[in-house]
PDB file of all heavy atoms in Angstrom:
ATOM      1  N   GLU A 246      -6.177  -9.126  16.945  1.00  0.00           N
ATOM      2  CA  GLU A 246      -6.818 -10.415  16.673  1.00  0.00           C
ATOM      3  C   GLU A 246      -8.168 -10.501  17.378  1.00  0.00           C
ATOM      4  O   GLU A 246      -8.333 -10.051  18.507  1.00  0.00           O
ATOM      5  CB  GLU A 246      -5.917 -11.561  17.160  1.00  0.00           C
ATOM      6  CG  GLU A 246      -4.670 -11.748  16.305  1.00  0.00           C
ATOM      7  CD  GLU A 246      -3.860 -12.933  16.750  1.00  0.00           C
ATOM      8  OE1 GLU A 246      -4.242 -13.571  17.757  1.00  0.00           O
ATOM      9  OE2 GLU A 246      -2.843 -13.238  16.100  1.00  0.00           O
ATOM     10  N   GLN A 247      -9.133 -11.060  16.680  1.00  0.00           N
ATOM     11  CA  GLN A 247     -10.492 -11.274  17.167  1.00  0.00           C
ATOM     12  C   GLN A 247     -11.211  -9.958  17.481  1.00  0.00           C
ATOM     13  O   GLN A 247     -12.068  -9.895  18.362  1.00  0.00           O
ATOM     14  CB  GLN A 247     -10.487 -12.194  18.395  1.00  0.00           C
ATOM     15  CG  GLN A 247      -9.917 -13.566  18.083  1.00  0.00           C
ATOM     16  CD  GLN A 247     -10.150 -14.570  19.188  1.00  0.00           C
ATOM     17  OE1 GLN A 247     -10.892 -14.325  20.117  1.00  0.00           O
ATOM     18  NE2 GLN A 247      -9.516 -15.728  19.075  1.00  0.00           N
ATOM     19  N   MET A 248     -10.859  -8.921  16.745  1.00  0.00           N
ATOM     20  CA  MET A 248     -11.566  -7.640  16.829  1.00  0.00           C
ATOM     21  C   MET A 248     -11.965  -7.210  15.420  1.00  0.00           C
ATOM     22  O   MET A 248     -11.214  -7.434  14.468  1.00  0.00           O
ATOM     23  CB  MET A 248     -10.678  -6.547  17.438  1.00  0.00           C
ATOM     24  CG  MET A 248     -10.236  -6.786  18.852  1.00  0.00           C
ATOM     25  SD  MET A 248      -9.238  -5.379  19.454  1.00  0.00           S
ATOM     26  CE  MET A 248      -8.740  -5.986  21.064  1.00  0.00           C
ATOM     27  N   GLN A 249     -13.138  -6.613  15.289  1.00  0.00           N
ATOM     28  CA  GLN A 249     -13.593  -6.144  13.984  1.00  0.00           C
ATOM     29  C   GLN A 249     -14.325  -4.821  14.142  1.00  0.00           C
ATOM     30  O   GLN A 249     -15.204  -4.683  14.995  1.00  0.00           O
ATOM     31  CB  GLN A 249     -14.507  -7.173  13.319  1.00  0.00           C
ATOM     32  CG  GLN A 249     -14.918  -6.814  11.903  1.00  0.00           C
ATOM     33  CD  GLN A 249     -13.697  -6.740  10.992  1.00  0.00           C
ATOM     34  OE1 GLN A 249     -12.997  -7.715  10.776  1.00  0.00           O
ATOM     35  NE2 GLN A 249     -13.432  -5.555  10.451  1.00  0.00           N
ATOM     36  N   ALA A 250     -13.945  -3.827  13.320  1.00  0.00           N
ATOM     37  CA  ALA A 250     -14.554  -2.494  13.380  1.00  0.00           C
ATOM     38  C   ALA A 250     -15.591  -2.332  12.276  1.00  0.00           C
ATOM     39  O   ALA A 250     -15.446  -2.884  11.174  1.00  0.00           O
ATOM     40  CB  ALA A 250     -13.481  -1.412  13.245  1.00  0.00           C
ATOM     41  N   TYR A 251     -16.638  -1.542  12.573  1.00  0.00           N
ATOM     42  CA  TYR A 251     -17.740  -1.314  11.636  1.00  0.00           C
ATOM     43  C   TYR A 251     -18.137   0.168  11.688  1.00  0.00           C
ATOM     44  O   TYR A 251     -18.046   0.816  12.745  1.00  0.00           O
ATOM     45  CB  TYR A 251     -18.973  -2.140  12.012  1.00  0.00           C
ATOM     46  CG  TYR A 251     -18.729  -3.620  12.158  1.00  0.00           C
ATOM     47  CD1 TYR A 251     -18.186  -4.130  13.345  1.00  0.00           C
ATOM     48  CD2 TYR A 251     -19.047  -4.508  11.144  1.00  0.00           C
ATOM     49  CE1 TYR A 251     -17.969  -5.487  13.498  1.00  0.00           C
ATOM     50  CE2 TYR A 251     -18.833  -5.872  11.297  1.00  0.00           C
ATOM     51  CZ  TYR A 251     -18.291  -6.357  12.480  1.00  0.00           C
ATOM     52  OH  TYR A 251     -18.074  -7.700  12.636  1.00  0.00           O
ATOM     53  N   ARG A 252     -18.614   0.685  10.564  1.00  0.00           N
ATOM     54  CA  ARG A 252     -19.291   1.982  10.591  1.00  0.00           C
ATOM     55  C   ARG A 252     -20.766   1.681  10.825  1.00  0.00           C
ATOM     56  O   ARG A 252     -21.459   1.160   9.951  1.00  0.00           O
ATOM     57  CB  ARG A 252     -19.091   2.744   9.290  1.00  0.00           C
ATOM     58  CG  ARG A 252     -19.664   4.172   9.376  1.00  0.00           C
ATOM     59  CD  ARG A 252     -19.476   4.951   8.101  1.00  0.00           C
ATOM     60  NE  ARG A 252     -19.983   6.323   8.258  1.00  0.00           N
ATOM     61  CZ  ARG A 252     -20.107   7.190   7.247  1.00  0.00           C
ATOM     62  NH1 ARG A 252     -19.734   6.838   6.026  1.00  0.00           N
ATOM     63  NH2 ARG A 252     -20.579   8.396   7.467  1.00  0.00           N
ATOM     64  N   TYR A 253     -21.248   2.044  12.005  1.00  0.00           N
ATOM     65  CA  TYR A 253     -22.600   1.697  12.409  1.00  0.00           C
ATOM     66  C   TYR A 253     -23.626   2.595  11.720  1.00  0.00           C
ATOM     67  O   TYR A 253     -24.736   2.174  11.413  1.00  0.00           O
ATOM     68  CB  TYR A 253     -22.711   1.825  13.935  1.00  0.00           C
ATOM     69  CG  TYR A 253     -23.942   1.202  14.534  1.00  0.00           C
ATOM     70  CD1 TYR A 253     -24.078  -0.172  14.632  1.00  0.00           C
ATOM     71  CD2 TYR A 253     -24.980   2.003  15.010  1.00  0.00           C
ATOM     72  CE1 TYR A 253     -25.207  -0.746  15.191  1.00  0.00           C
ATOM     73  CE2 TYR A 253     -26.114   1.445  15.570  1.00  0.00           C
ATOM     74  CZ  TYR A 253     -26.230   0.066  15.651  1.00  0.00           C
ATOM     75  OH  TYR A 253     -27.343  -0.498  16.202  1.00  0.00           O
ATOM     76  N   GLY A 254     -23.237   3.834  11.464  1.00  0.00           N
ATOM     77  CA  GLY A 254     -24.125   4.770  10.773  1.00  0.00           C
ATOM     78  C   GLY A 254     -23.703   6.195  11.063  1.00  0.00           C
ATOM     79  O   GLY A 254     -23.418   6.545  12.205  1.00  0.00           O
ATOM     80  N   GLY A 255     -23.632   7.044  10.023  1.00  0.00           N
ATOM     81  CA  GLY A 255     -23.248   8.433  10.226  1.00  0.00           C
ATOM     82  C   GLY A 255     -21.882   8.539  10.873  1.00  0.00           C
ATOM     83  O   GLY A 255     -20.878   8.032  10.362  1.00  0.00           O
ATOM     84  N   GLU A 256     -21.834   9.199  12.051  1.00  0.00           N
ATOM     85  CA  GLU A 256     -20.574   9.368  12.779  1.00  0.00           C
ATOM     86  C   GLU A 256     -20.441   8.363  13.911  1.00  0.00           C
ATOM     87  O   GLU A 256     -19.617   8.525  14.806  1.00  0.00           O
ATOM     88  CB  GLU A 256     -20.462  10.794  13.332  1.00  0.00           C
ATOM     89  CG  GLU A 256     -21.473  11.156  14.400  1.00  0.00           C
ATOM     90  CD  GLU A 256     -22.790  11.687  13.843  1.00  0.00           C
ATOM     91  OE1 GLU A 256     -23.096  11.457  12.664  1.00  0.00           O
ATOM     92  OE2 GLU A 256     -23.506  12.351  14.602  1.00  0.00           O
ATOM     93  N   GLU A 257     -21.258   7.311  13.894  1.00  0.00           N
ATOM     94  CA  GLU A 257     -21.225   6.295  14.947  1.00  0.00           C
ATOM     95  C   GLU A 257     -20.572   5.014  14.440  1.00  0.00           C
ATOM     96  O   GLU A 257     -20.806   4.587  13.300  1.00  0.00           O
ATOM     97  CB  GLU A 257     -22.642   5.994  15.453  1.00  0.00           C
ATOM     98  CG  GLU A 257     -22.672   5.155  16.714  1.00  0.00           C
ATOM     99  CD  GLU A 257     -24.057   5.065  17.321  1.00  0.00           C
ATOM    100  OE1 GLU A 257     -25.018   5.592  16.716  1.00  0.00           O
ATOM    101  OE2 GLU A 257     -24.182   4.459  18.401  1.00  0.00           O
ATOM    102  N   PHE A 258     -19.746   4.423  15.310  1.00  0.00           N
ATOM    103  CA  PHE A 258     -18.978   3.238  14.935  1.00  0.00           C
ATOM    104  C   PHE A 258     -19.162   2.158  15.998  1.00  0.00           C
ATOM    105  O   PHE A 258     -19.631   2.425  17.104  1.00  0.00           O
ATOM    106  CB  PHE A 258     -17.492   3.575  14.808  1.00  0.00           C
ATOM    107  CG  PHE A 258     -17.206   4.644  13.788  1.00  0.00           C
ATOM    108  CD1 PHE A 258     -17.270   5.988  14.140  1.00  0.00           C
ATOM    109  CD2 PHE A 258     -16.877   4.316  12.485  1.00  0.00           C
ATOM    110  CE1 PHE A 258     -17.009   6.982  13.208  1.00  0.00           C
ATOM    111  CE2 PHE A 258     -16.607   5.303  11.548  1.00  0.00           C
ATOM    112  CZ  PHE A 258     -16.687   6.637  11.913  1.00  0.00           C
ATOM    113  N   ALA A 259     -18.765   0.956  15.655  1.00  0.00           N
ATOM    114  CA  ALA A 259     -18.843  -0.165  16.585  1.00  0.00           C
ATOM    115  C   ALA A 259     -17.624  -1.056  16.416  1.00  0.00           C
ATOM    116  O   ALA A 259     -17.068  -1.152  15.314  1.00  0.00           O
ATOM    117  CB  ALA A 259     -20.122  -0.965  16.359  1.00  0.00           C
ATOM    118  N   ILE A 260     -17.214  -1.678  17.497  1.00  0.00           N
ATOM    119  CA  ILE A 260     -16.138  -2.671  17.460  1.00  0.00           C
ATOM    120  C   ILE A 260     -16.619  -3.907  18.220  1.00  0.00           C
ATOM    121  O   ILE A 260     -17.041  -3.803  19.374  1.00  0.00           O
ATOM    122  CB  ILE A 260     -14.841  -2.151  18.102  1.00  0.00           C
ATOM    123  CG1 ILE A 260     -14.353  -0.888  17.393  1.00  0.00           C
ATOM    124  CG2 ILE A 260     -13.757  -3.229  18.046  1.00  0.00           C
ATOM    125  CD1 ILE A 260     -13.128  -0.258  18.052  1.00  0.00           C
ATOM    126  N   ILE A 261     -16.579  -5.043  17.556  1.00  0.00           N
ATOM    127  CA  ILE A 261     -16.884  -6.312  18.211  1.00  0.00           C
ATOM    128  C   ILE A 261     -15.568  -6.951  18.631  1.00  0.00           C
ATOM    129  O   ILE A 261     -14.653  -7.102  17.826  1.00  0.00           O
ATOM    130  CB  ILE A 261     -17.657  -7.253  17.272  1.00  0.00           C
ATOM    131  CG1 ILE A 261     -19.018  -6.659  16.910  1.00  0.00           C
ATOM    132  CG2 ILE A 261     -17.840  -8.619  17.923  1.00  0.00           C
ATOM    133  CD1 ILE A 261     -19.804  -7.495  15.909  1.00  0.00           C
ATOM    134  N   LEU A 262     -15.484  -7.293  19.912  1.00  0.00           N
ATOM    135  CA  LEU A 262     -14.288  -7.946  20.453  1.00  0.00           C
ATOM    136  C   LEU A 262     -14.673  -9.367  20.855  1.00  0.00           C
ATOM    137  O   LEU A 262     -15.314  -9.583  21.882  1.00  0.00           O
ATOM    138  CB  LEU A 262     -13.746  -7.185  21.674  1.00  0.00           C
ATOM    139  CG  LEU A 262     -13.372  -5.712  21.449  1.00  0.00           C
ATOM    140  CD1 LEU A 262     -14.563  -4.799  21.694  1.00  0.00           C
ATOM    141  CD2 LEU A 262     -12.212  -5.312  22.353  1.00  0.00           C
ATOM    142  N   MET A 263     -14.308 -10.330  20.036  1.00  0.00           N
ATOM    143  CA  MET A 263     -14.690 -11.717  20.263  1.00  0.00           C
ATOM    144  C   MET A 263     -13.817 -12.343  21.348  1.00  0.00           C
ATOM    145  O   MET A 263     -12.600 -12.096  21.401  1.00  0.00           O
ATOM    146  CB  MET A 263     -14.578 -12.503  18.962  1.00  0.00           C
ATOM    147  CG  MET A 263     -15.652 -12.135  17.946  1.00  0.00           C
ATOM    148  SD  MET A 263     -15.261 -12.626  16.259  1.00  0.00           S
ATOM    149  CE  MET A 263     -14.299 -11.232  15.694  1.00  0.00           C
ATOM    150  N   ASN A 264     -14.458 -13.110  22.217  1.00  0.00           N
ATOM    151  CA  ASN A 264     -13.761 -13.785  23.318  1.00  0.00           C
ATOM    152  C   ASN A 264     -13.044 -12.797  24.235  1.00  0.00           C
ATOM    153  O   ASN A 264     -11.968 -13.099  24.778  1.00  0.00           O
ATOM    154  CB  ASN A 264     -12.763 -14.822  22.773  1.00  0.00           C
ATOM    155  CG  ASN A 264     -13.438 -15.920  21.988  1.00  0.00           C
ATOM    156  OD1 ASN A 264     -14.386 -16.541  22.462  1.00  0.00           O
ATOM    157  ND2 ASN A 264     -12.970 -16.154  20.776  1.00  0.00           N
ATOM    158  N   ARG A 265     -13.617 -11.601  24.374  1.00  0.00           N
ATOM    159  CA  ARG A 265     -13.053 -10.592  25.275  1.00  0.00           C
ATOM    160  C   ARG A 265     -14.094 -10.220  26.327  1.00  0.00           C
ATOM    161  O   ARG A 265     -15.302 -10.309  26.081  1.00  0.00           O
ATOM    162  CB  ARG A 265     -12.640  -9.338  24.497  1.00  0.00           C
ATOM    163  CG  ARG A 265     -11.652  -9.572  23.364  1.00  0.00           C
ATOM    164  CD  ARG A 265     -10.310 -10.079  23.870  1.00  0.00           C
ATOM    165  NE  ARG A 265      -9.415 -10.398  22.770  1.00  0.00           N
ATOM    166  CZ  ARG A 265      -8.510  -9.551  22.285  1.00  0.00           C
ATOM    167  NH1 ARG A 265      -8.407  -8.333  22.802  1.00  0.00           N
ATOM    168  NH2 ARG A 265      -7.723  -9.923  21.295  1.00  0.00           N
ATOM    169  N   ASN A 266     -13.597  -9.750  27.486  1.00  0.00           N
ATOM    170  CA  ASN A 266     -14.498  -9.374  28.556  1.00  0.00           C
ATOM    171  C   ASN A 266     -14.609  -7.855  28.678  1.00  0.00           C
ATOM    172  O   ASN A 266     -14.001  -7.107  27.901  1.00  0.00           O
ATOM    173  CB  ASN A 266     -14.051  -9.995  29.887  1.00  0.00           C
ATOM    174  CG  ASN A 266     -12.619  -9.598  30.245  1.00  0.00           C
ATOM    175  OD1 ASN A 266     -12.101  -8.576  29.781  1.00  0.00           O
ATOM    176  ND2 ASN A 266     -11.988 -10.404  31.085  1.00  0.00           N
ATOM    177  N   HIS A 267     -15.349  -7.411  29.694  1.00  0.00           N
ATOM    178  CA  HIS A 267     -15.595  -5.988  29.918  1.00  0.00           C
ATOM    179  C   HIS A 267     -14.294  -5.223  30.137  1.00  0.00           C
ATOM    180  O   HIS A 267     -14.084  -4.133  29.585  1.00  0.00           O
ATOM    181  CB  HIS A 267     -16.523  -5.824  31.127  1.00  0.00           C
ATOM    182  CG  HIS A 267     -16.855  -4.416  31.444  1.00  0.00           C
ATOM    183  ND1 HIS A 267     -16.014  -3.582  32.162  1.00  0.00           N
ATOM    184  CD2 HIS A 267     -17.951  -3.660  31.143  1.00  0.00           C
ATOM    185  CE1 HIS A 267     -16.562  -2.396  32.294  1.00  0.00           C
ATOM    186  NE2 HIS A 267     -17.736  -2.417  31.689  1.00  0.00           N
ATOM    187  N   SER A 268     -13.412  -5.779  30.952  1.00  0.00           N
ATOM    188  CA  SER A 268     -12.153  -5.115  31.270  1.00  0.00           C
ATOM    189  C   SER A 268     -11.295  -4.900  30.027  1.00  0.00           C
ATOM    190  O   SER A 268     -10.727  -3.826  29.810  1.00  0.00           O
ATOM    191  CB  SER A 268     -11.379  -5.938  32.298  1.00  0.00           C
ATOM    192  OG  SER A 268     -10.119  -5.361  32.554  1.00  0.00           O
ATOM    193  N   SER A 269     -11.212  -5.925  29.194  1.00  0.00           N
ATOM    194  CA  SER A 269     -10.431  -5.827  27.951  1.00  0.00           C
ATOM    195  C   SER A 269     -11.034  -4.793  27.010  1.00  0.00           C
ATOM    196  O   SER A 269     -10.317  -4.014  26.383  1.00  0.00           O
ATOM    197  CB  SER A 269     -10.370  -7.194  27.270  1.00  0.00           C
ATOM    198  OG  SER A 269      -9.684  -7.113  26.041  1.00  0.00           O
ATOM    199  N   ALA A 270     -12.368  -4.771  26.910  1.00  0.00           N
ATOM    200  CA  ALA A 270     -13.045  -3.812  26.039  1.00  0.00           C
ATOM    201  C   ALA A 270     -12.823  -2.387  26.528  1.00  0.00           C
ATOM    202  O   ALA A 270     -12.587  -1.464  25.731  1.00  0.00           O
ATOM    203  CB  ALA A 270     -14.532  -4.123  25.971  1.00  0.00           C
ATOM    204  N   ARG A 271     -12.895  -2.180  27.829  1.00  0.00           N
ATOM    205  CA  ARG A 271     -12.694  -0.844  28.381  1.00  0.00           C
ATOM    206  C   ARG A 271     -11.268  -0.347  28.129  1.00  0.00           C
ATOM    207  O   ARG A 271     -11.048   0.804  27.755  1.00  0.00           O
ATOM    208  CB  ARG A 271     -12.991  -0.825  29.881  1.00  0.00           C
ATOM    209  CG  ARG A 271     -12.666   0.519  30.482  1.00  0.00           C
ATOM    210  CD  ARG A 271     -13.146   0.744  31.879  1.00  0.00           C
ATOM    211  NE  ARG A 271     -12.628   2.026  32.328  1.00  0.00           N
ATOM    212  CZ  ARG A 271     -13.105   3.206  31.946  1.00  0.00           C
ATOM    213  NH1 ARG A 271     -14.145   3.264  31.136  1.00  0.00           N
ATOM    214  NH2 ARG A 271     -12.564   4.335  32.369  1.00  0.00           N
ATOM    215  N   GLN A 272     -10.301  -1.223  28.336  1.00  0.00           N
ATOM    216  CA  GLN A 272      -8.909  -0.846  28.095  1.00  0.00           C
ATOM    217  C   GLN A 272      -8.693  -0.459  26.633  1.00  0.00           C
ATOM    218  O   GLN A 272      -8.023   0.535  26.333  1.00  0.00           O
ATOM    219  CB  GLN A 272      -7.987  -2.002  28.480  1.00  0.00           C
ATOM    220  CG  GLN A 272      -6.500  -1.699  28.313  1.00  0.00           C
ATOM    221  CD  GLN A 272      -5.625  -2.878  28.719  1.00  0.00           C
ATOM    222  OE1 GLN A 272      -6.130  -3.924  29.111  1.00  0.00           O
ATOM    223  NE2 GLN A 272      -4.317  -2.709  28.614  1.00  0.00           N
ATOM    224  N   HIS A 273      -9.287  -1.253  25.728  1.00  0.00           N
ATOM    225  CA  HIS A 273      -9.152  -0.959  24.296  1.00  0.00           C
ATOM    226  C   HIS A 273      -9.833   0.370  23.951  1.00  0.00           C
ATOM    227  O   HIS A 273      -9.284   1.180  23.194  1.00  0.00           O
ATOM    228  CB  HIS A 273      -9.767  -2.092  23.478  1.00  0.00           C
ATOM    229  CG  HIS A 273      -9.539  -1.953  22.004  1.00  0.00           C
ATOM    230  ND1 HIS A 273      -8.347  -2.275  21.398  1.00  0.00           N
ATOM    231  CD2 HIS A 273     -10.343  -1.491  21.004  1.00  0.00           C
ATOM    232  CE1 HIS A 273      -8.430  -2.043  20.106  1.00  0.00           C
ATOM    233  NE2 HIS A 273      -9.636  -1.566  19.838  1.00  0.00           N
ATOM    234  N   ALA A 274     -11.021   0.599  24.502  1.00  0.00           N
ATOM    235  CA  ALA A 274     -11.755   1.835  24.224  1.00  0.00           C
ATOM    236  C   ALA A 274     -10.999   3.052  24.746  1.00  0.00           C
ATOM    237  O   ALA A 274     -10.952   4.106  24.083  1.00  0.00           O
ATOM    238  CB  ALA A 274     -13.144   1.767  24.852  1.00  0.00           C
ATOM    239  N   GLU A 275     -10.393   2.933  25.909  1.00  0.00           N
ATOM    240  CA  GLU A 275      -9.647   4.055  26.489  1.00  0.00           C
ATOM    241  C   GLU A 275      -8.415   4.388  25.646  1.00  0.00           C
ATOM    242  O   GLU A 275      -8.096   5.569  25.409  1.00  0.00           O
ATOM    243  CB  GLU A 275      -9.239   3.720  27.928  1.00  0.00           C
ATOM    244  CG  GLU A 275      -8.573   4.870  28.672  1.00  0.00           C
ATOM    245  CD  GLU A 275      -9.456   6.099  28.775  1.00  0.00           C
ATOM    246  OE1 GLU A 275     -10.678   5.953  28.992  1.00  0.00           O
ATOM    247  OE2 GLU A 275      -8.919   7.229  28.645  1.00  0.00           O
ATOM    248  N   THR A 276      -7.736   3.363  25.184  1.00  0.00           N
ATOM    249  CA  THR A 276      -6.581   3.579  24.303  1.00  0.00           C
ATOM    250  C   THR A 276      -7.017   4.263  23.003  1.00  0.00           C
ATOM    251  O   THR A 276      -6.354   5.189  22.513  1.00  0.00           O
ATOM    252  CB  THR A 276      -5.892   2.244  23.978  1.00  0.00           C
ATOM    253  OG1 THR A 276      -5.467   1.629  25.191  1.00  0.00           O
ATOM    254  CG2 THR A 276      -4.697   2.446  23.065  1.00  0.00           C
ATOM    255  N   LEU A 277      -8.141   3.814  22.452  1.00  0.00           N
ATOM    256  CA  LEU A 277      -8.659   4.394  21.219  1.00  0.00           C
ATOM    257  C   LEU A 277      -9.117   5.840  21.437  1.00  0.00           C
ATOM    258  O   LEU A 277      -8.915   6.701  20.581  1.00  0.00           O
ATOM    259  CB  LEU A 277      -9.812   3.534  20.704  1.00  0.00           C
ATOM    260  CG  LEU A 277     -10.413   3.908  19.351  1.00  0.00           C
ATOM    261  CD1 LEU A 277      -9.356   3.949  18.261  1.00  0.00           C
ATOM    262  CD2 LEU A 277     -11.518   2.919  18.974  1.00  0.00           C
ATOM    263  N   ARG A 278      -9.721   6.110  22.595  1.00  0.00           N
ATOM    264  CA  ARG A 278     -10.170   7.475  22.905  1.00  0.00           C
ATOM    265  C   ARG A 278      -8.985   8.442  22.891  1.00  0.00           C
ATOM    266  O   ARG A 278      -9.057   9.523  22.302  1.00  0.00           O
ATOM    267  CB  ARG A 278     -10.849   7.500  24.274  1.00  0.00           C
ATOM    268  CG  ARG A 278     -11.428   8.864  24.655  1.00  0.00           C
ATOM    269  CD  ARG A 278     -11.821   8.909  26.113  1.00  0.00           C
ATOM    270  NE  ARG A 278     -10.664   8.825  26.993  1.00  0.00           N
ATOM    271  CZ  ARG A 278      -9.856   9.865  27.259  1.00  0.00           C
ATOM    272  NH1 ARG A 278     -10.083  11.039  26.710  1.00  0.00           N
ATOM    273  NH2 ARG A 278      -8.830   9.689  28.062  1.00  0.00           N
ATOM    274  N   ARG A 279      -7.872   8.052  23.519  1.00  0.00           N
ATOM    275  CA  ARG A 279      -6.682   8.907  23.558  1.00  0.00           C
ATOM    276  C   ARG A 279      -6.082   9.072  22.161  1.00  0.00           C
ATOM    277  O   ARG A 279      -5.560  10.141  21.821  1.00  0.00           O
ATOM    278  CB  ARG A 279      -5.647   8.324  24.521  1.00  0.00           C
ATOM    279  CG  ARG A 279      -6.078   8.385  25.982  1.00  0.00           C
ATOM    280  CD  ARG A 279      -4.881   8.138  26.906  1.00  0.00           C
ATOM    281  NE  ARG A 279      -4.353   6.794  26.742  1.00  0.00           N
ATOM    282  CZ  ARG A 279      -4.734   5.758  27.470  1.00  0.00           C
ATOM    283  NH1 ARG A 279      -5.667   5.905  28.408  1.00  0.00           N
ATOM    284  NH2 ARG A 279      -4.191   4.566  27.276  1.00  0.00           N
ATOM    285  N   SER A 280      -6.177   8.013  21.367  1.00  0.00           N
ATOM    286  CA  SER A 280      -5.652   8.083  19.999  1.00  0.00           C
ATOM    287  C   SER A 280      -6.450   9.066  19.144  1.00  0.00           C
ATOM    288  O   SER A 280      -5.885   9.830  18.359  1.00  0.00           O
ATOM    289  CB  SER A 280      -5.673   6.689  19.360  1.00  0.00           C
ATOM    290  OG  SER A 280      -5.271   6.728  18.016  1.00  0.00           O
ATOM    291  N   ILE A 281      -7.772   9.060  19.308  1.00  0.00           N
ATOM    292  CA  ILE A 281      -8.634   9.973  18.534  1.00  0.00           C
ATOM    293  C   ILE A 281      -8.386  11.421  18.944  1.00  0.00           C
ATOM    294  O   ILE A 281      -8.437  12.345  18.111  1.00  0.00           O
ATOM    295  CB  ILE A 281     -10.107   9.578  18.719  1.00  0.00           C
ATOM    296  CG1 ILE A 281     -10.387   8.230  18.018  1.00  0.00           C
ATOM    297  CG2 ILE A 281     -11.053  10.654  18.163  1.00  0.00           C
ATOM    298  CD1 ILE A 281     -11.775   7.668  18.259  1.00  0.00           C
TER     299      ILE A 281
END
Side-chain angles (χ1 to χ4, degrees):
E246 289 184 357
Q247 299 191 10
M248 297 182 185
Q249 185 62 63
Y251 306 81
R252 187 180 183 189
Y253 193 73
E256 66 273 19
E257 191 170 4
F258 301 86
I260 301 176
I261 296 176
L262 302 89
M263 289 162 274
N264 298 309
R265 303 296 175 95
N266 57 23
H267 180 279
S268 176
S269 177
R271 175 169 174 76
Q272 182 180 1
H273 187 78
E275 186 59 39
T276 301
L277 185 56
R278 183 192 67 79
R279 292 195 296 268
S280 176
I281 291 174

